[in-house]
Amino acid sequence: MFVFTASNSLRAHLDKARERNVKIGIIPTMGALHEGHFSLMQTAINGGFLPVVSIFVNPAQFNDIEDYEKYPSTIPQDLQQLYSMNIDAVYIPAVEEVYPRGWKNLENYDLGELEKVFEGAQRPGHFQGVCQILHRLFNLVMPDTVFMGQKDYQQCMVVSRLLEIMQSRIKLEICPTVREASGLAKSSRNLRLSDAEKENAASLYKNMTYVKTHLQPGNEMALLQIALNDLKLHGFNMEYLSLANAKTLMPVERWDGTEPLVLLAAGKMGSVRLIDNLLI
Ligand code: AMP
């Protein structure tokens, strides 16, 4: 496994690999790796891709400085796991390497309505930051495919939009959400939950599953309210629990029973912000 901190040495390494006609798969992460990340890597490996993993806590995508400063970092353990998974190249750049002229006032992407709803509305600038880092990583690595998790459903839609804007041939492969036995979606931020908070956080998946199984045209709002009440009892401070069109992400208040939906949720358990989604 090769570990790079400088873009030019990673570029040279990948240029050589491309001479062997390999397909390159990139798995961008912010580290504190868990089973969710490993499943993306395994999908890339199973698909015959040369797996390239980036670990970079991207300051440009944090709208909350405390969230950025408290973001977990477990680089030594991450590297050990990547080594045992036979990852080819790991890129761990410093902020100055990625953004030599600073990370404020970077370029802007036209994400349309996608940026005005749910995570876009709750985290101003977040998806611009996601595009700013991924555009740079895509130009550097020139992958055939990028592997991302459905856990960040709206982010996947943003990346698909970014690839359109870039007029890129890179394919986006979306991998299923990996969960704890309790149903809680694996997340690096779970490291910041106490045992009691972690137990309560599992109520998010339980309530979302409840909504998914009981949803019928006409009961949408009542059902969401039942779930919201239960989440509150479990200590969640919810930002949203909403239904949206699974293709456009436009909010849906009245369901016709056929429109493909996604149930989206975001809320804080203690000081930790968690998100999740279920396709319906
Ligand atoms: P992050 O390190 O949180 O930026 O995540 C890096 C990638 O891993 C993103 O594509 C995420 O969607 C994906 N990911 C994070 N958590 C999970 C999970 N529980 N299951 C599947 N993919 C995940």
Side-chain angles (χ1 to χ4, degrees), residues 190-258:
N190 294 354
L191 287 175
R192 291 178 49 213
L193 294 171
S194 68
D195 287 346
E197 286 172 334
K198 218 172 166 186
E199 209 176 307
N200 276 321
S203 65
L204 184 56
Y205 179 68
K206 291 199 181 82
N207 275 287
M208 292 177 76
T209 309
Y210 176 80
V211 171
K212 178 173 168 154
T213 39
H214 291 85
L215 186 71
Q216 285 173 3
N219 75 356
E220 307 86 348
M221 292 301 133
L223 208 51
L224 291 173
Q225 197 52 55
I226 293 173
L228 282 168
N229 293 346
D230 187 68
L231 289 165
K232 197 168 174 194
L233 285 177
H234 282 92
F236 260 110
N237 188 1
M238 294 302 291
E239 289 177 19
Y240 59 80
L241 175 71
S242 310
L243 295 162
N245 181 294
K247 299 217 168 83
T248 62
L249 225 65
M250 289 305 105
V252 170
E253 291 193 353
R254 287 189 158 265
W255 187 41
D256 62 6
T258 61

Side-chain angles (χ1 to χ4, degrees), residues 118-119 122 151 153 204-205 207-208 224 228 231 236 238-243 262-268 273-278:
F118 305 113
E119 291 304 278
Q122 297 294 329
K151 154 90 177 2
Y153 190 86
L204 184 56
Y205 179 68
N207 275 287
M208 292 177 76
L224 291 173
L228 282 168
L231 289 165
F236 260 110
M238 294 302 291
E239 289 177 19
Y240 59 80
L241 175 71
S242 310
L243 295 162
V262 58
L263 175 64
L264 297 161
K268 273 193 167 172
R273 189 174 184 279
L274 300 173
I275 62 170
D276 203 345
N277 68 82
L278 282 183

Side-chain angles (χ1 to χ4, degrees), residues 28-31 34 36-37 39-40 71 147-152 155 175-179 185-188:
T29 81
M30 298 203 296
H34 52 69
H37 299 117
S39 75
L40 308 184
Y71 200 85
F147 294 84
M148 308 204 77
Q150 189 203 313
K151 154 90 177 2
D152 298 277
Q155 172 168 274
C175 306
T177 303
V178 177
R179 300 178 179 280
K186 300 240 182 196
S187 164
S188 307

Side-chain angles (χ1 to χ4, degrees), residues 13-173:
H13 172 78
L14 293 175
D15 283 348
K16 260 208 192 128
R18 260 184 285 271
E19 284 170 13
R20 306 196 305 268
N21 257 336
V22 290
K23 297 185 291 180
I24 293 174
I26 187 169
I27 302 100
T29 81
M30 298 203 296
L33 300 178
H34 52 69
E35 297 299 327
H37 299 117
F38 301 136
S39 75
L40 308 184
M41 297 170 202
Q42 200 54 56
T43 307
I45 292 167
N46 295 347
F49 291 84
L50 188 80
V52 177
V53 174
S54 62
I55 299 182
F56 181 62
V57 183
N58 174 31
Q61 75 185 64
F62 283 82
N63 56 315
D64 175 355
I65 184 77
E66 193 189 336
D67 191 25
Y68 176 56
E69 283 169 355
K70 290 201 173 153
Y71 200 85
S73 171
T74 57
I75 299 277
Q77 293 95 309
D78 292 353
L79 286 175
Q80 245 173 23
Q81 300 258 33
L82 294 173
Y83 183 76
S84 67
M85 283 196 72
N86 263 331
I87 294 303
D88 178 69
V90 186
Y91 180 48
I92 315 184
V95 173
E96 301 72 37
E97 169 79 17
V98 177
Y99 301 122
R101 281 177 290 282
W103 48 274
K104 306 245 157 107
N105 303 314
L106 297 171
E107 72 283 3
N108 209 69
Y109 298 83
D110 178 8
L111 302 176
E113 294 299 309
L114 253 187
E115 210 179 359
K116 299 190 187 133
V117 290
F118 305 113
E119 291 304 278
Q122 297 294 329
R123 304 184 66 188
H126 168 63
F127 286 131
Q128 290 298 324
V130 168
C131 290
Q132 285 152 356
I133 181 62
L134 288 179
H135 198 159
R136 283 162 177 75
L137 283 176
F138 292 161
N139 281 343
L140 170 64
V141 173
M142 295 191 286
D144 296 274
T145 299
V146 53
F147 294 84
M148 308 204 77
Q150 189 203 313
K151 154 90 177 2
D152 298 277
Y153 190 86
Q154 192 171 1
Q155 172 168 274
C156 290
M157 297 184 74
V158 165
V159 173
S160 163
R161 172 86 192 116
L162 169 67
L163 292 172
E164 248 174 60
I165 294 171
M166 289 172 65
Q167 299 186 320
S168 173
R169 286 195 189 158
I170 300 170
K171 292 201 188 79
L172 166 62
E173 181 155 347

